[in-house]
Amino acid sequence: MKTAILEIKTSQHTQMLDVTDKIRQAVRSSGVKDGICLVYVPHTTAAVTINENADPDVVRDFTMELDKIVPWDDGYRHMEGNSAAHLKSSMIGFSDMIIIENGRLMLGTWQGIYFCEFDGPRHRKLLVKIMEDTGQSRLYREL
Ligand code: ZN
């Protein structure tokens, strides 16, 4: 198993960065042909999600609606003043898994992987764990 730590620099307060190419590069570098790619965000005010990367308006609509559901100011008690970012982070989630086949991420035609910043700009990390399918599960079935 191999883990890559990707350095992510966000430039806006709320931002969805397309990191698909970075993840593809990590998979290529691992040399794994068949397996699972786990993408994990080790932060409490950021997230990762998979969604359309063809029309940039999807990202705009996504962040706009999230802001309506979780307004920045809403009488929160958390002293740091970024409760909205903590909430969005848990709502969207900290990890995603993508199947790797023949060395390629099995994403749909319109799918891209997004690092979601909810309290930027900041320097962030994105962990990518690549797990190889060794075929041992087939042995269990045969036994
Ligand atoms: Zn906080």
Side-chain angles (χ1 to χ4, degrees):
M1 290 205 264
K2 297 161 185 188
T3 304
I5 302 171
L6 307 182
E7 303 288 335
I8 307 280
K9 193 173 178 238
T10 61
S11 58
Q12 295 161 38
H13 186 260
T14 300
Q15 188 175 13
M16 287 174 71
L17 274 175
D18 188 338
V19 291
T20 314
D21 287 343
K22 288 176 188 284
I23 309 293
R24 283 201 174 108
Q25 184 57 51
V27 171
R28 262 196 300 274
S29 302
S30 77
V32 169
K33 298 297 175 205
D34 287 282
I36 295 284
C37 174
L38 170 69
V39 184
Y40 183 79
V41 173
H43 302 288
T44 60
T45 54
V48 65
T49 194
I50 295 172
N51 217 305
E52 177 172 330
N53 68 352
D55 178 3
D57 279 342
V58 170
V59 162
R60 178 253 182 207
D61 292 349
F62 192 102
T63 54
M64 182 184 76
E65 287 306 304
L66 265 183
D67 283 341
K68 284 188 201 167
I69 297 164
V70 187
W72 188 255
D73 294 310
D74 201 17
Y76 307 117
R77 288 191 178 175
H78 177 45
M79 291 291 282
E80 199 185 3
N82 62 354
S83 275
H86 288 296
L87 286 165
K88 289 177 187 173
S89 189
S90 280
M91 285 167 65
I92 304 305
F94 301 95
S95 67
D96 269 314
M97 285 202 288
I98 307 108
I99 296 167
I100 302 165
E101 248 180 60
N102 299 317
R104 297 183 58 226
L105 289 174
M106 297 295 286
L107 289 168
T109 307
W110 309 110
Q111 284 185 319
I113 307 162
Y114 286 98
F115 180 90
C116 307
E117 173 64 79
F118 297 125
D119 194 18
R122 292 187 193 224
H123 287 277
R124 302 290 203 174
K125 286 187 187 338
L126 184 60
L127 310 184
V128 183
K129 186 86 178 175
I130 295 158
M131 294 164 277
E132 190 163 22
D133 182 351
T134 58
Q136 286 179 342
S137 56
R138 255 176 258 132
L139 276 177
Y140 287 116
R141 260 181 263 130
E142 286 164 17
L143 293 171

